[in-house]
Structure formats: C-alpha cells, structure tokens
Amino acid sequence: MNKPLLYPIRAVSKQTGISIETLRAWERRYQVVTPQRNERGRLFTEADVQRLRLLRQVVEQGHAIGQLAALTNEELRSLSVQPDEFADSYPAIRQLEPSTPEPGTEARSNWNAIDLARMMTSIERLDYAEVERELSLLAAVLSPRELVHRVALPLLQQVGEAWHAGKLSIGQERMTSSLLRNLLGAIVPLHRRTSPPARLMFATPTREQHEFGILLSAMLTAGGGLGIVYLGTNLPGEEIVKAAHQAAPQAVVVGLVGANGARVNQ
Amino acid sequence: MNKPLLYPIRAVSKQTGISIETLRAWERRYQVVTPQRNERGRLFTEADVQRLRLLRQVVEQGHAIGQLAALTNEELRSLSVQPDEFADSYPAIRQLEPSTPEPGTEARSNWNAIDLARMMTSIERLDYAEVERELSLLAAVLSPRELVHRVALPLLQQVGEAWHAGKLSIGQERMTSSLLRNLLGAIVPLHRRTSPPARLMFATPTREQHEFGILLSAMLTAGGGLGIVYLGTNLPGEEIVKAAHQAAPQAVVVGLVGANGARVNQ
DNA sequence: AATAAGGTGTCCAGCTTTTGTCAATGAATC
DNA sequence: GATTCATTGACAAAAGCTGGACACCTTATT
C-alpha cells in the first residue's frame, strides 16, 4: 500500500502555474482548498493539486475565483470551454459577413464547392501539407476579400458543422483553425502601405478569446489599403483605451462574441 | 565475478549534479544515503547514485530535502514528474529532449543588440507597421534557426521582462506577441518540401494555452526540412493520441510551460 | 461621464526554520 | 607540496508562515 502523496506549496505552485502568493491568498480568502499542515508548512494532496489546476484553467478563461471557490470539481469541469471553440465563435463570424442575406446553401458557386469538398477530405485525413498547399494556392489567386468570403468563412462554417455533427475530431478542427490562422496572419503584412490614409486598431476585450473575428477584419482592412495596429485577444478595457490614445488610430475594432455571456460595455 | 562498482564522492557529484558540499550535508543531516567508507573516503554504490539522482529530481520539483530523506525510492518515484498525467496515461506521447546545442555566443554581439533595442522603442511607441517592417526584414535575412534564437526568443524575453517591470503595457506586449505569431506562422509554410523524410506533430495538452513553444518548434522543424502536422493548443490528451494514430508522424511534440516564464520544449 | 465599491493578484514587514555553501583544520596519497 | 577527502561550526540565502496594505480591474451607482 502506498501513502497518499503530499506536496509542499512550492511543488504545487510549479505544477499548477499558480504563484505561491496566489495559492495562499486563495486559501485564506476562499478556502479553495484546505491542505493539511505539518510543522514545516502546507501539504497538498494530489486531489488538491488537481482541483487547483482545474481552477486555474477556468480562471484563465475569465471567471472570478471568488465565484468558483464553492463549486465542485464537476461543476468546474463543465465550465471549462475547451471543446467549444467553434460552438460560439461561429455565429459571431457569420455576423461579420457584411452582405450575407442568407447562408444560401446552393448559391455558392461550384468553384468553391469543389475546392471546399476536396479540402474537407484532406482535413479528414489530417493531411496538413495538403490543406496548406491548397490554402496557399487559393491565397495566391484570390483577393483578400474573396479569400475571406469564399474560403475562410465557408471553411470555418463547414468545419464547425462537421465537428458538431461528430464527423470531425477536435484535432482535425484545431488543425484547420491553426492553418487558417497562420494563413490569415501571413497575409496581413503583405498589403502594407508606406503611408496609409488611415489606421484601425484591433483587439478583443477581457474574456474574449476568439481571434478569428478581428483577424479577418484586420486582414480585410489591410487588404483595403489601410494601416492596422493589431493587438490581439483578451485585453483589459483600460488597456485598449490606453493603447488607442497612444497609437491614435482613426477607429478601434473590438471583437465580441454574443453567445457566451460576454457583455457589451461601451 | 564482478565487484559492485563503487564511486568516490567526486564522481557522484558529477553524475548527479549535486555539489560535493551538498552531498555531505545531505548525508550528515538526513542520512539520505549511507555510503560505505574506506580509508580514502566515501564509496557510493550504483544504487546510491540512482537514489541521489531521484532525490535531486524531486527536490527540483519543489520538495524539501528534509521531508524526502525518509522516503523509499518507490515513494520518490511516485512523487516525481509522473503526476503529469501524460507520462503514464499515454505512453505514446513523450516529451522530446531539447536539442538546442548553443546559440553562437559571440556572433550575436552587436547585430542583435542594436536590432532589439530599436525594435523595443518601436514597440513602446505602439508602432505596429515599423515593428512589422523590421521583423519581416529580419525574417528575410536570417535562417529560421537564427530567427528563433536571435530574434524571437530574445524579443519575447525582453518584452516579458519589460512588461513585468511595468515598462510596457499589456497592449504593447500583446501587439508584439501577435506580430511574432503572425510572422512565425507565416514562415512555417515557406519551408515546405514535397516529400519530407519525416513528419512531426505539434500540440499542447488541455490546460496549456501558450502557443509559442510549439510554434517555434514547428518552425524549426519545417526549416530543417521535415514535415509538420500542427494542431495548436489546448487539446485533450486522447485527441492528441487519436490524431497521432491517424497522421502517423514520426514523433509528437507536446508543449508545456513551467512556472517561470516560457520554456521551449522541442 | 464620473465616482464608489468590491474583487483579486502581488508585495511587504517581521519572524522562524531549513538548507546550501564556505572556512578552518587535519589526514592521507601522489 | 599539491590534491583530495573528512569533520565541524558558522552564516547567509532560501523558503515557510501571517496579516495587512496596495494597485488595478471590473461592476454598480449616481
């Protein structure tokens, strides 16, 4: 039989990525865990460590530790968003489409249909190189605008649907996301002007992890000959304002996803 | 018959990485091991050395030597890295050893220093276009390997430090991250081969959101002429395994971040 | 739009215990 | 004589604890 494994605070901090100060504060204020003590200090059990890891994950996604402390591990797990990236990023992406009357299914030209179908089979095979090849081919041929509306958005939609239908695994979905992200990120700097007539700044506020919205917007903006200042996701509101003051863009684009409890503040 | 190999303290120190002083202190204070003696001094057995190695490993993970001394090797082993859920649940996945030999120590003296300093001031000004310009210039000039070791990593480090010191705002830090990510993501596909001799798969496990580690690794891999299958961050372990079975890469790279800042596991 | 009120991570002061390293000294070996 | 190892005592750094304070964000209120 084996003794229960016990970890001192330093080891727990290293394993969970939570600072020692924070570990103590969480315990002091919320009794998030109640480790045993010996004369030397705290001793965390394996279960404590696991719970703390879970807590960190959920906190990183924007929840408040004070609200989490009372929850069971089960409830915490149900809060963690990991498999849901597409579930909520997709509707936001659709809103982004400027002139889409309908996702009119048959309205899509067969040009795209063929390409996408082939690409979907490559995705199913996890054939990274092939998908990459096809995507970069399309990127070379199409304008940024076309790329967004005829490739990126439809592909995201199809992958999202296929994933929901259980026809694609998370790995396949993620591979596609990564590829698209790399592609879009790569295209942005290609349309650089020396002195753009105007500049836009892109960011998403705290808790908003979904990047595709602002990334696509940034790409369209750059493709349209405007300058960009791309900050990325999950910035405190104050910081966005501060950065806006410093960079002085003509406009600030803030990405939001409606579905997931995110609330619009300004 | 062969006598059991016995090592003098110096040899043990070298093998275990524990200083001679510390070895003696551990023995004196905690009887962590009790080596034999001859008129010349201590003689450690192979078993002693192994136990000492184990001890060092566990101490490095944050445990106190005083608490460890009484444990059996068995117990020590169960404390060591293995709670990392991956090591035992999914033997298919192994963390790869860092293969970084050494960054050319003297070659980078003035070259990089100047570039980074200038880039830092551009970052402070939130001058997206300028940073982008400088980065893509460097990307065009340097090899992927140099780009990683002489630009990306140093820049990430400097920005991280400056941010911690309060000299950079979150916005500035995020802008730099986004730029770097776009750049690196863009470079990956440039080094594509039609039929790479081997393929590696990249992903981070569920709680790990930090992408730079695997992204840099993927870039180096692609730059080295190997094929990649890039899945991205935050994948459940089974999914990684499933994807690995399907894509059948020669190796799987799993990114992990330790407590103190970004570490590249490649 | 400005202000007030929490929530939360980090730091500090003050104290104790643990732990790595060093200095001094002596013995044995080459 | 130089090197290696041993022992012992001493010391400083590291690591632990508590409670309070502070700075910063977010949210609610005016």
Side-chain angles (χ1 to χ4, degrees):
Chain A
M1 74 176 303
N2 42 8
K3 296 186 209 165
L5 301 179
L6 294 178
Y7 302 87
I9 195 168
R10 178 155 305 265
V12 174
S13 171
K14 287 197 172 165
Q15 277 189 54
T16 60
I18 306 168
S19 81
I20 293 180
E21 297 297 323
T22 304
L23 282 173
R24 284 199 271 254
W26 283 9
E27 178 188 342
R28 175 169 26 140
R29 294 175 179 152
Y30 317 107
Q31 293 85 46
V32 139
V33 292
T34 50
Q36 320 165 29
R37 306 294 189 98
N38 70 1
E39 61 287 351
R40 188 75 169 72
R42 292 165 172 78
L43 287 175
F44 297 76
T45 67
E46 183 72 42
D48 288 335
V49 175
Q50 232 153 16
R51 177 172 171 85
L52 286 169
R53 270 202 284 243
L54 199 51
L55 281 167
R56 191 200 103 167
Q57 185 191 351
V58 180
V59 163
E60 247 178 25
Q61 282 163 6
H63 291 87
I65 184 61
Q67 308 302 309
L68 264 36
L71 303 186
T72 68
N73 284 357
E74 264 323 306
E75 293 167 317
L76 286 177
R77 250 185 290 275
S78 71
L79 276 185
S80 90
V81 293
Q82 47 162 295
D84 267 11
E85 183 167 320
F86 263 86
D88 26 54
S89 66
Y90 168 60
I93 283 170
R94 196 191 290 149
Q95 291 164 10
L96 204 155
E97 229 157 339
S99 61
T100 310
E102 282 287 305
T105 41
E106 71 296 314
R108 300 218 144 73
S109 64
N110 49 9
W111 220 85
N112 266 353
I114 293 174
D115 281 321
L116 281 193
R118 227 188 29 215
M119 216 175 293
M120 287 299 285
T121 72
S122 301
I123 289 170
E124 278 166 30
R125 290 203 317 275
L126 265 178
D127 190 341
Y128 186 94
E130 177 62 16
V131 180
E132 186 178 66
R133 208 185 57 76
E134 300 192 25
L135 274 180
S136 55
L137 195 79
L138 287 172
V141 170
L142 301 176
S143 71
R145 180 178 189 79
E146 285 178 311
L147 192 65
V148 167
H149 291 126
R150 297 174 59 185
V151 180
L153 289 172
L155 190 60
L156 279 171
Q157 178 183 354
Q158 283 213 18
V159 170
E161 283 171 5
W163 174 75
H164 252 114
K167 300 171 74 173
L168 283 190
S169 70
I170 303 182
Q172 290 160 327
E173 177 247 278
R174 291 300 163 79
M175 184 187 81
T176 313
S177 297
S178 300
L179 268 167
L180 262 182
R181 177 219 280 304
N182 282 354
L183 177 71
L184 299 176
I187 285 183
V188 169
L190 295 185
H191 302 270
R192 194 171 42 209
R193 281 208 187 163
T194 46
S195 57
R199 243 178 353 188
L200 277 74
M201 198 171 98
F202 298 84
T204 78
T206 306
R207 296 180 188 192
E208 191 48 76
Q209 314 272 1
H210 302 100
E211 191 171 9
F212 273 115
I214 53 171
L215 189 53
L216 289 171
S217 309
M219 195 188 129
L220 289 177
T221 305
L226 301 183
I228 65 169
V229 177
Y230 188 87
L231 296 186
T233 61
N234 198 17
L235 268 96
E238 264 304 310
E239 286 292 326
I240 300 183
V241 173
K242 206 162 72 183
H245 276 294
Q246 196 185 346
Q250 270 69 26
V252 178
V253 177
V254 177
L256 289 174
V257 169
N260 187 13
R263 298 181 50 183
V264 182
N265 238 351
Q266 50 175 350
Chain B
M1 77 193 268
N2 46 3
K3 290 189 212 164
L5 290 177
L6 295 178
Y7 304 95
I9 195 167
R10 176 152 306 258
V12 175
S13 172
K14 287 199 169 160
Q15 283 186 66
T16 59
I18 306 168
S19 82
I20 293 181
E21 298 299 321
T22 304
L23 281 173
R24 285 202 270 255
W26 282 9
E27 178 188 341
R28 176 178 47 188
R29 295 177 177 146
Y30 318 108
Q31 294 86 47
V32 139
V33 293
T34 49
Q36 317 165 31
R37 306 294 189 97
N38 69 3
E39 56 291 351
R40 209 52 193 87
R42 279 165 247 255
L43 289 175
F44 296 78
T45 67
E46 185 67 44
D48 288 335
V49 175
Q50 226 152 16
R51 177 172 171 85
L52 286 169
R53 265 202 285 251
L54 199 51
L55 281 167
R56 192 192 78 131
Q57 199 182 337
V58 179
V59 164
E60 257 175 15
Q61 282 168 17
H63 292 263
I65 184 62
Q67 307 296 309
L68 263 35
L71 303 187
T72 67
N73 283 356
E74 219 24 76
E75 292 166 323
L76 286 177
R77 246 185 295 275
S78 65
L79 275 183
S80 113
V81 242
Q82 143 228 331
D84 172 4
E85 102 182 35
F86 265 88
D88 21 38
S89 335
Y90 306 109
I93 296 180
R94 191 160 317 140
Q95 191 175 334
L96 301 184
E97 283 295 311
S99 67
T100 317
E102 277 302 309
T105 38
E106 73 302 313
R108 64 166 136 182
S109 46
N110 41 14
W111 232 89
N112 263 354
I114 294 173
D115 282 321
L116 280 193
R118 229 192 22 217
M119 215 174 293
M120 288 298 283
T121 71
S122 301
I123 290 170
E124 279 166 29
R125 290 202 317 276
L126 265 178
D127 190 340
Y128 186 95
E130 176 62 16
V131 181
E132 186 178 68
R133 208 185 58 75
E134 299 192 24
L135 274 180
S136 55
L137 194 80
L138 286 173
V141 170
L142 300 176
S143 71
R145 180 176 192 80
E146 286 177 310
L147 193 65
V148 168
H149 288 122
R150 296 172 58 185
V151 180
L153 287 175
L155 191 59
L156 280 171
Q157 185 181 350
Q158 281 211 21
V159 169
E161 283 170 5
W163 175 70
H164 254 109
K167 300 174 73 174
L168 282 188
S169 71
I170 304 181
Q172 290 160 328
E173 185 255 0
R174 291 299 165 79
M175 183 188 81
T176 313
S177 297
S178 299
L179 268 168
L180 261 182
R181 179 224 277 305
N182 282 354
L183 177 72
L184 298 175
I187 285 181
V188 169
L190 295 185
H191 301 269
R192 194 172 39 209
R193 279 205 187 167
T194 47
S195 57
R199 242 177 354 187
L200 278 79
M201 199 171 97
F202 298 83
T204 76
T206 297
R207 300 180 181 83
E208 192 50 75
Q209 314 269 3
H210 300 96
E211 189 171 10
F212 273 113
I214 53 171
L215 188 52
L216 289 171
S217 307
M219 199 189 123
L220 287 176
T221 305
L226 301 183
I228 67 170
V229 177
Y230 188 87
L231 297 187
T233 60
N234 196 18
L235 267 97
E238 324 83 71
E239 286 292 329
I240 300 182
V241 172
K242 206 160 74 182
H245 276 140
Q246 196 186 343
Q250 269 70 25
V252 178
V253 178
V254 178
L256 296 172
V257 170
N260 60 350
R263 297 187 45 181
V264 181
N265 299 311
Q266 50 171 346

